[in-house]
């Protein structure tokens, strides 16, 4: 059997693509998601910019009903990691990490992005032992204690605010003295008495022992070293796109990507390969928002329906 459409990734983009393709009439649509559906927003402690959703809700709350809504229209979920998407003639082959393959007439890549490492000493060594990239997952371990947050974007500032509710103090360490985060978020951080801004400071080393992290050393513009003694360090320094499934045996990409590895698409989410679409954080110029990822998923789903209709009829 050849699937009408294979969707890789089950975040906001993949789930919306699943909703539109199945509700729009495609048969045999499978969404391959290696974990629980919902995507990276499920790690967020709050979401206040999804239209129509008001109140104090987490990313997990927001995403909870999405899979069931898609399944109602026939979307199948295969809890599997995809290692490669390739194409021969008009048929795509989806290779899973266990080596099994499945064929599809069209494919929508929605594999999103993953937290970037900052690249300082001790970061990898203490990852999961005091160094974290998820405040909602690990913040509770530091209840009543002091923690450090690295970064100056929306994620770092929002998660610093979240951690300030649980922890006794948050050191927000940023390498510049201005932030990328939204002005309102910056204002809330500056007004929060539990957050100390450590600006123009770059992390040098996270240190500790067998029981975990003991602190982080940072260097400011004047080359002065400061030792901040905390048991928890949260790193939010941006994301890398998850484009590995597009890499072919010879190392080339299945479709055109830009220098950052983001997939080049047009306004219909079409890539340079016919029948292959990309949606959400993985695409060029992605605003990296739930609402835009979902919008992309809808566009890609509609485009896939047209493509499959034309191919088979
Ligand atoms: P993702 O959400 O990254 O989903 C991709 C999915 O693909 C994942 O579930 C992953 O497991 C799966 N996957 C990856 N590779 C494979 C593979 N090889 N095989 C199978 N499955 C695979 N946006 C907002 O609009 N408002 C906010 O308040 C907000 N807060 C945020 C807070 C945090 C902490 C973070 C990290 C992000 C936040 N964002 C927010 C951004 C938002 O979460 C993303 O823009 C959005 O989730 C992107 O959706 P996506 O579907 O493109 O990708
Ligand atoms: P980001 O906007 O790329 O910010 C990354 C931050 O980390 C920057 O401040 C950067 O410093 C710093 N940084 C990068 N590499 C570093 C290193 N090696 N060492 C120290 N600091 C480093 O990433 P993000 O905050 O994760 O946000 C990603 C996207 O998701 C953005 O588009 C954001 O708007 C969106 N998002 C939106 C919301 C929301 O709408 N509420 C919430 C979360 C995320 P410089 O500033 O000096 O470059």
């Amino acid at each position: 059997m050849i699937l009408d459409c294979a969707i890789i990734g089950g975040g906001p983009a993949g789930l919306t693509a699943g909703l539109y393709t199945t509700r729009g009439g495609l048969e045999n649509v499978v969404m391959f998601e290696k974990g629980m559906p919902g995507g990276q927003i499920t790690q967020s402690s709050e979401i206040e910019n999804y239209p129509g959703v008001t109140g104090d809700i987490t990313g997990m709350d927001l995403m909870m009903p999405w899979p069931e809504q898609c399944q109602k229209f026939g979307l199948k979920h295969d809890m599997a990691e995809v290692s490669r998407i390739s194409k021969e003639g008009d048929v795509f082959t989806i290779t899973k990490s266990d080596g099994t393959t499945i064929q599809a007439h069209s494919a929508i890549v929605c594999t999103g992005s993953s937290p970037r490492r900052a690249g300082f000493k001790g970061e990898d060594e203490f990852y999961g032992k005091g160094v974290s990239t998820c405040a909602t997952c690990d913040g509770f371990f530091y209840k009543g204690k002091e923690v450090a947050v690295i970064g100056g974007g929306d994620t770092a500032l929002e998660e610093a605010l979240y951690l300030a509710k649980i922890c006794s103090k948050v050191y927000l360490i940023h390498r510049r003295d201005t932030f990328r985060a939204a002005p309102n978020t910056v204002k809330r951080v500056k007004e929060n008495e539990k957050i100390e801004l450590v600006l123009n400071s770059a992390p040098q080393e996270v240190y500790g022992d067998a029981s975990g992290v003991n602190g982080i050393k940072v260097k400011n513009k004047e080359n002065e070293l400061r030792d901040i003694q905390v048991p928890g360090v949260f790193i939010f320094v941006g994301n890398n796109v998850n484009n590995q499934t597009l890499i072919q045996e010879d190392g080339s990409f299945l479709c055109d990507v830009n220098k950052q590895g983001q997939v080049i698409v047009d306004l219909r989410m079409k890539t340079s390969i016919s029948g292959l679409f990309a949606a959400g954080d993985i695409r060029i110029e992605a605003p990296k928002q739930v609402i835009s990822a979902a919008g992309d998923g809808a566009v890609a789903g509609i485009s896939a329906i047209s493509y499959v209709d034309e191919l088979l009829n």
Side-chain angles (χ1 to χ4, degrees):
M1 185 196 58
I2 301 181
L3 302 177
D4 272 353
C5 186
I7 297 167
I8 326 300
L15 285 162
T16 310
L19 177 65
Y20 273 71
T21 45
T22 51
R23 192 168 175 276
L26 289 191
E27 308 263 325
N28 294 321
V29 181
V30 174
M31 182 185 78
F32 298 88
E33 166 55 60
K34 62 183 175 182
M36 290 299 290
Q40 48 178 302
I41 191 65
T42 56
Q43 298 193 358
S44 175
S45 50
E46 63 164 340
I47 175 147
E48 55 178 20
N49 58 2
Y50 195 85
V53 178
T54 54
D56 199 6
I57 70 155
T58 65
M60 185 70 92
D61 297 333
L62 177 77
M63 297 312 296
M64 199 77 89
W66 293 37
E68 200 187 324
Q69 185 185 12
C70 301
Q71 280 151 17
K72 210 172 81 183
F73 294 103
L75 180 70
K76 295 177 196 80
H77 172 202
D78 185 348
M79 199 188 246
E81 183 177 41
V82 169
S83 55
R84 182 172 297 143
I85 309 164
S86 50
K87 190 181 184 196
E88 211 167 300
D90 280 337
V91 178
F92 289 92
T93 298
I94 312 300
T95 306
K96 298 197 256 178
S97 293
D98 65 7
T100 57
T101 58
I102 188 156
Q103 294 187 314
H105 293 302
S106 65
I108 307 177
V109 192
C110 308
T111 42
S113 55
S114 303
R116 197 180 285 153
R117 296 286 165 98
F120 52 80
K121 199 173 162 200
E123 185 184 20
D124 290 341
E125 186 189 342
F126 289 103
Y127 193 83
K129 298 174 212 146
V131 171
S132 170
T133 53
C134 180
T136 39
C137 319
D138 300 329
F140 187 74
F141 299 131
Y142 307 99
K143 196 170 191 294
K145 298 178 182 165
E146 298 193 348
V147 294
V149 167
I150 320 283
D154 281 307
T155 306
L157 270 67
E158 286 183 4
E159 298 315 297
L161 286 164
Y162 170 77
L163 288 164
K165 290 184 206 156
I166 306 170
C167 306
S168 58
K169 180 164 183 172
V170 178
Y171 296 91
L172 179 62
I173 300 164
H174 179 37
R175 61 188 180 183
R176 295 187 296 127
D177 61 357
T178 53
F179 296 101
R180 281 176 198 274
N184 185 45
T185 310
V186 176
K187 184 169 174 277
R188 283 166 63 206
V189 163
K190 287 184 172 168
E191 285 169 0
N192 193 308
E193 286 176 357
K194 283 168 107 183
I195 301 178
E196 179 183 330
L197 300 182
V198 183
L199 301 178
N200 292 318
S201 297
Q204 303 298 303
E205 176 186 3
V206 170
Y207 63 91
D209 52 33
S211 63
V213 164
N214 292 330
I216 178 164
K217 290 178 184 162
V218 300
K219 199 185 256 182
N220 68 13
K221 268 185 169 173
E222 286 74 39
N223 266 338
E224 293 161 340
L225 209 57
R226 178 171 172 190
D227 183 0
I228 299 171
Q229 292 175 8
V230 285
V233 174
F234 290 83
I235 301 171
F236 305 109
V237 295
N239 296 292
N240 291 325
V241 287
N242 298 323
N243 59 18
Q244 300 82 346
T245 60
L246 295 167
I247 299 173
Q248 306 300 287
E249 264 181 77
D250 65 2
S252 65
F253 282 96
L254 174 61
C255 60
D256 291 346
V257 299
N258 69 6
K259 262 196 236 157
Q260 290 85 41
Q262 298 157 338
V263 178
I264 297 172
V265 290
D266 67 10
L267 289 174
R268 303 201 60 190
M269 301 303 138
K270 289 181 182 178
T271 69
S272 57
I273 295 290
S274 59
L276 179 70
F277 307 88
D281 277 14
I282 192 169
R283 73 155 166 97
I284 46 158
E285 312 272 343
K288 302 212 174 83
Q289 296 289 295
V290 176
I291 187 73
S292 52
D296 284 1
V299 174
I302 292 167
S303 299
I305 294 171
S306 304
Y307 173 82
V308 174
D309 272 355
E310 231 171 83
L311 185 76
L312 302 182
N313 298 310

